[in-house]
Amino acid sequence: MTAPDAAFYFDLGSPLAYLAAERVLHVLPGPAEWQPVLARALPRAESFEACRCRTEQDVVRSEIERSARTEGLQPLKWPSPFPFDSALAMRVATYAKSIGRAVPFAQAAFRQAFAGGRSLAEPDNVLIAAAACEMHPTAVLRGAELRAVREQLLQTTMRAARLGVDDVPAVAVGERVFGGERCLQDAATYMRERTRGTGSSGVAPTSPTPASPDTGVAPTSPTDTSAALPSTAHASPTATSPTDTSSAPAP
């Protein structure tokens, strides 16, 4: 299978990345690989701590809430505290990517944080999101502490920065990087234009191939993923039945 030429960069602590993650599967005309990165290590990342007064914080939050309503998403609920430390959640996202579950885990975790209002700095909330996509809590905690997982997250972040990703959300198509509120629309336009250019040159476009769970084609329908989250929102993560973790990396 040919790897997708596009990549979607996200950090689970960013509400702007959450808004993009809810739309990326529907806006981009082709698959995109979901790439977890540490936003705090990017050159121009919005920390949401730069607001100097409560009034400014309220304005920023109101704008993000308005964007969620405009996109027809669930009412945005702010975790407490916010911003929160997303380091653990991002290591779990990196581990999830290594076992082919980056998209469902990221979707579930984003919804825990910004639709459920639960901080992903709390391990239990991360485990609830993992359980929603059948990731065993023991394997998740062990995987998140692996040196290889930590190094992979840092390397992916550094590669993204070298490519030109300076904040999340961002979409890269080949060597072109699109960021900001319109990153999805701009990337989609570029992808379509490039496809038309390929077609006009007489080279037949490649037939679509099934994408892996780490691409812009969701492994499960959005209904299945969103339905799984509320059913586990108040359950103990350890109550989930064990699943096969033989493919998970050994510590």
Side-chain angles (χ1 to χ4, degrees):
M1 181 188 303
T2 303
D5 191 33
F8 170 61
Y9 294 90
F10 67 94
D11 185 311
L12 294 168
S14 169
L16 300 178
Y18 159 66
L19 297 180
E22 289 291 324
R23 298 182 294 129
V24 63
L25 302 179
H26 312 291
V27 174
L28 295 186
E33 186 173 6
W34 287 43
Q35 293 280 12
V37 293
L38 286 172
R40 67 191 184 198
L42 296 174
R44 297 184 179 179
E46 170 61 73
S47 68
F48 298 99
E49 295 176 326
C51 299
R52 298 180 179 178
C53 64
R54 183 57 183 266
T55 300
E56 190 173 354
Q57 290 178 354
D58 290 343
V59 169
V60 171
R61 292 190 180 198
S62 294
E63 286 297 312
I64 297 174
E65 291 167 4
R66 181 188 58 79
S67 295
R69 290 193 300 270
T70 300
E71 297 298 334
L73 305 179
Q74 299 180 55
L76 197 145
K77 296 182 181 179
W78 294 96
S80 181
F82 180 81
F84 55 80
D85 184 357
S86 65
L88 171 62
M90 295 311 297
R91 293 199 305 272
V92 174
T94 302
Y95 168 72
K97 181 174 173 58
S98 75
I99 60 173
R101 293 179 183 172
V103 174
F105 171 74
Q107 289 177 324
F110 268 132
R111 292 168 187 171
Q112 277 286 311
F114 298 109
R118 300 179 179 90
S119 169
L120 297 180
E122 296 294 330
D124 282 354
N125 293 332
V126 177
L127 291 176
I128 290 171
C133 49
E134 300 183 347
M135 293 169 62
H136 193 280
T138 301
V140 167
L141 291 176
R142 292 176 64 186
E145 297 306 318
L146 291 174
R147 178 183 298 178
V149 167
R150 293 174 181 268
E151 292 178 351
Q152 181 61 50
L153 177 58
L154 292 175
Q155 290 171 4
T156 301
T157 303
M158 289 188 292
R159 283 197 300 269
R162 288 195 297 268
L163 184 63
V165 175
D166 56 15
D167 197 0
V168 292
V171 177
V173 183
E175 295 183 354
R176 289 285 302 273
V177 175
F178 303 89
E181 294 182 3
R182 289 190 51 82
C183 67
L184 297 181
Q185 296 93 319
D186 292 344
T189 298
Y190 178 72
M191 292 171 74
R192 292 189 183 96
E193 290 176 348
R194 195 170 66 163
T195 299
R196 286 197 295 269
T198 301
S200 64
S201 67
V203 179
T206 304
S207 299
T209 55
S212 74
D214 289 333
T215 68
V217 178
T220 57
S221 68
T223 302
D224 292 338
T225 304
S226 59
L229 182 56
S231 67
T232 60
H234 300 290
S236 170
T238 56
T240 306
S241 300
T243 56
D244 180 17
T245 58
S246 59
S247 61

